[in-house]
Amino acid sequence: MILKHLALASFAILSLSACQTTTESEATPIVNVPFTAPLASDFRSEIAIARYSELLNRADLSPDQQAKLYYDRGVLFDSLGMTTLSRIDFNRAVKLKPDLAEVYNFLGIQHTLMQQYEKAYEFFDSALELDEDHEYAYLNRGIALYYGDRSGIAKTDFSAFLARSPNDPYRVLWVYLADAKVNKEQALVELKTNATALDDSQWAFQLISLFAGDMSEHAFLSGISEGVKSEQEYAQRLCEAYFYLAKLHQAAGDKYLAADYFRLALATNVHEFIEYKYARLELELMAGDDAS
């Protein structure tokens, strides 16, 4: 039943207005894209939040236990898109237990999203000082540097992240995104070189083929639902696909199409994915550029 629904959804036609202030000659709406209903909140996360809240009212908890509960509840708040509540819990956790590397990683992401890049760098630095093997702190600090217009330094972090798992297409792609801001031709050469370590049977390998120019956008969109086993997986895959398609069009100067794809990424409601989080930041930056 689910697969039948997904197959029908993959042929749905979505037409979005790129921007209310643009004319038809300035922007072409997106059509014939795969689409699905926004991902619903997991009721189990809400129940877990209520349970953690009850536990935090106990008087016999040690500071370390309190910190762990605040951290766990903060992660759940973040997964539901409740960013302010999650940040409050992360700050409480780190005050009680200042050596929680993962808390600094989350706080760094949140300050990146607020465009407070210097503060974000400090949090990621703290995470890596506490745990130099915290590989996702390299990714997230690289992303903060990327949005903070320090692409050359960002590539160093992305490369360190890639070195820990050379067969991950997403890591290869973020190295390319940073490198392309400095030298697009060299970035493409490195993308193809790094792609040789990848398994081309992975769905995400299609992202590499798309950016390398080996696959058309139509073919990419047509293959998104292949191998999908649940609506949740489909929504997650669409979130990623829309975000990276937006980056592709953005690099080509198609800012209206890029904006629509970023909006589609947000429409999936996959709050915990970095593609969802940074789609919102991308739209804020684009709005700022238009206003200036």
Side-chain angles (χ1 to χ4, degrees), residues 15-19 22-31 254 256-258 260-261:
S15 177
L16 298 179
S17 170
C19 181
T22 65
T23 66
E24 290 184 7
S25 62
E26 290 176 315
T28 303
I30 298 174
V31 296
D254 302 328
Y256 300 116
L257 279 174
D260 275 349
Y261 273 123

Side-chain angles (χ1 to χ4, degrees), residues 243-259:
F243 178 84
Y244 294 112
L245 277 167
K247 295 300 291 179
L248 190 67
H249 283 286
Q250 185 184 63
D254 302 328
K255 64 178 182 178
Y256 300 116
L257 279 174

Side-chain angles (χ1 to χ4, degrees), residues 38-273:
L39 196 64
S41 297
D42 188 344
F43 73 93
R44 290 169 297 187
S45 295
E46 298 178 23
I47 293 172
I49 287 172
R51 177 60 178 155
Y52 289 145
S53 300
E54 290 176 2
L55 290 171
L56 282 163
N57 288 326
R58 290 174 47 173
D60 59 343
L61 295 176
S62 69
D64 283 3
Q65 290 173 321
Q66 286 181 303
K68 182 64 166 59
L69 286 170
Y70 278 127
Y71 166 71
D72 289 340
R73 191 174 68 174
V75 171
L76 290 173
F77 277 137
D78 183 80
S79 73
L80 295 173
M82 301 177 182
T83 307
T84 301
L85 291 176
S86 69
R87 185 162 58 254
I88 290 170
D89 273 359
F90 291 145
N91 281 319
R92 287 169 172 166
V94 84
K95 285 179 181 178
L96 289 164
K97 189 172 173 56
D99 61 349
L100 287 173
E102 188 57 40
V103 176
Y104 292 108
N105 181 54
F106 269 102
L107 287 169
I109 293 171
Q110 293 189 346
H111 282 275
T112 301
L113 294 170
M114 292 186 288
Q115 301 179 48
Q116 297 175 359
Y117 301 118
E118 294 297 331
K119 190 68 175 176
Y121 305 149
E122 292 176 11
F123 281 122
F124 293 129
D125 288 347
S126 295
L128 289 167
E129 285 172 9
L130 290 166
D131 181 7
E132 63 180 10
D133 293 323
H134 193 310
E135 57 183 316
Y136 282 93
Y138 287 104
L139 167 66
N140 293 316
R141 187 174 65 181
I143 292 175
L145 290 162
Y146 174 84
Y147 285 112
D149 291 326
R150 300 183 180 183
S151 295
I153 307 175
K155 185 188 173 183
T156 301
D157 273 350
F158 290 142
S159 296
F161 185 55
L162 174 61
R164 286 162 171 77
S165 184
N167 59 349
D168 184 346
Y170 301 100
R171 301 180 192 223
V172 170
L173 193 51
W174 276 102
V175 170
Y176 169 80
L177 291 174
D179 209 13
K181 278 198 169 186
V182 180
N183 186 325
K184 191 170 183 178
E185 290 184 2
Q186 179 58 39
L188 186 59
V189 171
E190 187 169 351
L191 176 71
K192 293 181 177 180
T193 299
N194 288 333
T196 60
L198 304 178
D199 178 0
D200 61 7
S201 67
Q202 299 180 71
W203 174 81
F205 184 82
Q206 296 181 49
L207 290 167
I208 305 301
S209 297
L210 182 70
F211 275 79
D214 298 330
M215 175 179 282
S216 69
E217 184 171 333
H218 174 75
F220 173 76
L221 289 168
S222 298
I224 288 178
S225 63
E226 291 181 9
V228 169
K229 295 180 175 62
S230 69
E231 291 189 35
Q232 179 180 15
E233 182 183 358
Y234 191 51
Q236 292 170 343
R237 189 175 288 189
L238 285 174
C239 180
E240 295 171 343
Y242 292 148
F243 178 84
Y244 294 112
L245 277 167
K247 295 300 291 179
L248 190 67
H249 283 286
Q250 185 184 63
D254 302 328
K255 64 178 182 178
Y256 300 116
L257 279 174
D260 275 349
Y261 273 123
F262 285 132
R263 293 186 186 104
L264 282 170
L266 290 176
T268 62
N269 270 3
V270 187
H271 295 281
E272 67 270 30
F273 274 29

Side-chain angles (χ1 to χ4, degrees), residues 257-292:
L257 279 174
D260 275 349
Y261 273 123
F262 285 132
R263 293 186 186 104
L264 282 170
L266 290 176
T268 62
N269 270 3
V270 187
H271 295 281
E272 67 270 30
F273 274 29
I274 62 169
E275 291 83 4
Y276 176 92
K277 297 177 186 296
Y278 293 114
R280 187 175 298 281
L281 176 58
E282 290 278 4
L283 287 170
E284 290 174 1
L285 294 171
M286 294 173 79
D289 289 342
D290 290 340
S292 61

